[in-house]
Amino acid sequence: MKVKVINSVSRYTEKDIFKYLISIYGDRFEKYRTEWQLSSEGKYLPNFPLCLNYELIDNCNLRCIHCARQVQKSNRGRLGIEIFKKTIDEGERFFLPSIKIGFGEPFLERQIFDMIDYASNHGVMDIIVTTNGTLFGEEEIDKLLNSKITFLRISIDAASEEGYAKVRGGDLSAIEGMVKRLLTKRAERKQQLPLIRLSFVVTQENKHETELFIDKWANIVDFIDFQNYIEPPMPMLENHTDIEPVCSNFFCSYPWQMMAIMGDGDIRACCSWYGERLILGNLKSGTIKEAWESKSMNILRGQIRANTYTGYCAICVTSR
């Protein structure tokens, strides 16, 4: 498989995914990917985010050792389908092309397939869902294949039973069996979507299993992604306004491309662990458009353009 490095992610694939998706969705998808590329370099600022990144529910059924949930307890609750629809309706007015669903385990949200259908029916083309894959029986696999999900990202982080138990807990063979059944059913239906990505966060505990992971899944799934582990800030809620600004040539494109929508309705400028302090509003009293054009967001963009990172952003940049 070919390797492509994107920021801190190493991607193994043989597929030209966007060429295929352009063949499905046409000129509008091509326009979206062109704007995505330009905005990733700060050369284009859309009048509305190109992607909304959702936390549907602040909960997970696993306790992975590298997850921020191990060091920060939160109670943001559940976004709910009505608030989700409100954001999609707002996005439709600005031709929102893409959404991501992740953070906690999204399939703990029982209405997730209704939400995905709603987004697809209201103009969203690129629907990306991240999951641990532990909640999929045969019925859920069929629902996945009937949905409009373009990318299904399954986090595994191990190649052996021992490694999986240590890093994530649970039964690796069950997850691997589910992935293979999903791929078999997709092939039987002569479908291309959803594209399947398996991900592996590289830590000291599992780095010795990366080659075995590639050997297991190369030419079986559509993508294999390895992501470098970034240590969560300790403690998570400490006030870091006294941190000296950091000058860096690293360009964070998030404020040109996306906004994060959390389970409690908070609108954040960043989806990372460090985004806890980058709250720009709440859907109970404001809109995504207002947050996108807010003074705080524009100050953040200005700092990034000046290659100057402050507060939590400074910690994030220096941790890479």
Side-chain angles (χ1 to χ4, degrees):
M1 300 179 87
K2 298 176 183 177
V3 184
K4 181 178 182 181
V5 178
I6 307 169
N7 290 334
S8 60
V9 177
S10 297
R11 169 163 293 175
Y12 292 71
T13 184
E14 294 289 348
K15 292 199 171 186
D16 185 344
I17 51 171
F18 296 121
K19 183 178 180 180
Y20 171 69
L21 291 171
I22 288 168
S23 73
I24 296 176
Y25 294 107
D27 292 343
R28 185 173 166 237
F29 195 94
E30 186 170 17
K31 178 176 180 289
Y32 146 58
R33 292 311 305 177
T34 298
E35 291 176 350
W36 186 270
Q37 181 59 42
L38 290 171
S39 61
S40 72
E41 302 167 3
K43 296 177 180 178
Y44 172 71
L45 178 63
N47 63 357
F48 193 82
L50 295 173
C51 180
L52 296 179
N53 200 341
Y54 289 93
E55 176 186 63
L56 298 185
I57 187 167
D58 181 21
N59 195 9
C60 188
N61 60 321
L62 295 183
R63 295 294 180 267
C64 304
I65 62 174
H66 53 271
C67 181
R69 292 179 184 276
Q70 299 301 323
V71 297
Q72 174 183 315
K73 305 302 179 184
S74 58
N75 187 27
R76 289 186 295 271
R78 173 177 173 265
L79 185 67
I81 193 167
E82 295 308 318
I83 296 295
F84 179 85
K85 286 181 176 180
K86 176 184 175 182
T87 64
I88 296 298
D89 290 344
E90 183 182 357
E92 185 176 21
R93 294 196 293 273
F94 299 98
F95 306 101
L96 174 68
S98 174
I99 64 172
K100 293 182 179 180
I101 299 174
F103 294 97
E105 173 47 51
F107 288 93
L108 291 172
E109 167 55 69
R110 295 184 178 182
Q111 292 184 288
I112 184 172
F113 288 107
D114 294 329
M115 293 173 166
I116 290 167
D117 286 346
Y118 191 87
S120 176
N121 292 336
H122 288 77
V124 178
M125 298 176 289
D126 200 7
I127 300 176
I128 303 159
V129 183
T130 300
T131 175
N132 59 40
T134 60
L135 301 176
F136 300 153
E138 296 306 315
E139 181 180 353
E140 287 73 27
I141 288 175
D142 288 338
K143 286 181 178 180
L144 287 170
L145 292 170
N146 291 333
S147 75
K148 296 296 185 179
I149 296 173
T150 46
F151 293 88
L152 185 67
R153 299 172 167 179
I154 304 172
S155 303
I156 296 183
D157 305 325
S160 70
E161 289 286 358
E162 181 183 5
Y164 189 79
K166 183 176 182 180
V167 174
R168 289 191 153 259
D171 182 358
L172 177 63
S173 63
I175 299 298
E176 292 181 338
M178 179 280 296
V179 172
K180 291 173 182 177
R181 290 196 304 278
L182 173 59
L183 289 166
T184 297
K185 283 195 170 186
R186 190 183 71 175
E188 290 172 349
R189 293 179 177 217
K190 295 181 171 57
Q191 290 182 208
Q192 297 282 345
L193 300 180
L195 296 165
I196 307 300
R197 181 199 86 162
L198 301 188
S199 69
F200 190 115
V201 176
V202 181
T203 67
Q204 290 298 316
E205 289 78 9
N206 64 7
K207 64 182 182 180
H208 61 284
E209 295 194 355
T210 55
E211 291 301 321
L212 178 57
F213 194 78
I214 295 171
D215 291 342
K216 268 192 171 188
W217 296 108
N219 304 315
I220 295 178
V221 294
D222 302 303
F223 308 94
I224 300 170
D225 279 0
F226 290 96
Q227 182 175 350
N228 296 330
Y229 174 61
I230 298 175
E231 189 80 25
M234 299 287 287
M236 290 289 287
L237 296 181
E238 182 179 340
N239 190 333
H240 286 292
T241 56
D242 58 341
I243 296 295
E244 289 293 322
V246 171
C247 294
S248 172
N249 290 326
F250 172 78
F251 183 80
C252 177
S253 62
Y254 206 98
W256 278 262
Q257 295 176 317
M258 295 183 275
M259 300 199 88
I261 309 297
M262 309 311 291
D264 58 3
D266 276 349
I267 306 169
R268 291 187 187 176
C270 175
C271 72
S272 79
W273 296 331
Y274 303 93
E276 188 78 24
R277 291 276 177 170
L278 299 176
I279 298 172
L280 301 172
N282 189 282
L283 291 167
K284 295 174 184 176
S285 57
T287 67
I288 297 165
K289 178 73 167 174
E290 289 169 349
W292 186 248
E293 295 179 341
S294 67
K295 180 179 178 181
S296 296
M297 192 65 153
N298 285 323
I299 289 173
L300 181 61
R301 293 184 184 113
Q303 291 175 344
I304 294 170
R305 282 198 183 281
N307 295 329
T308 302
Y309 293 82
T310 62
Y312 266 85
C313 294
I315 303 169
C316 179
V317 169
T318 56
S319 69
R320 293 176 179 272

